[in-house]
Amino acid sequence: MKTNKEWHEKNKMPKNATFEQRVKWHLEHLKNCSCRPIPKGLLNEMEEKNVTTLHDLQ
Ligand SMILES: [Zn+2]
């Protein structure tokens, strides 16, 4: 579990983020930092909507 502080400084999660914003944030986060996994609730929502990549959001 390593935190990429620099990435976090540049990529703040917006307040009241939409589903799309949260997915984008977490997918980018996965690539850049491993301090925490995607929350289960969001993963479930992604599964329901068949979203696994950024491409699926479009
Ligand atoms: Zn992180």
Side-chain angles (χ1 to χ4, degrees):
M1 291 295 185
K2 208 182 165 216
T3 301
N4 185 343
K5 278 186 187 166
E6 205 175 305
W7 186 88
H8 274 275
E9 278 304 308
K10 288 180 190 160
N11 297 273
K12 302 274 189 199
M13 174 74 86
K15 271 187 183 165
N16 302 316
T18 62
F19 170 72
E20 191 178 317
Q21 286 173 317
R22 292 171 70 211
V23 172
K24 277 185 187 171
W25 190 94
H26 277 288
L27 290 176
E28 280 304 308
H29 180 250
L30 272 185
K31 286 189 231 160
N32 292 284
C33 181
S34 54
C35 73
R36 61 189 164 104
I38 298 179
K40 260 207 171 137
L42 185 59
L43 273 180
N44 288 341
E45 211 174 327
M46 287 168 72
E47 212 164 278
E48 273 168 31
K49 293 176 179 171
N50 271 317
V51 172
T52 51
T53 67
L54 278 182
H55 182 78
D56 297 322
L57 287 170
Q58 254 93 107

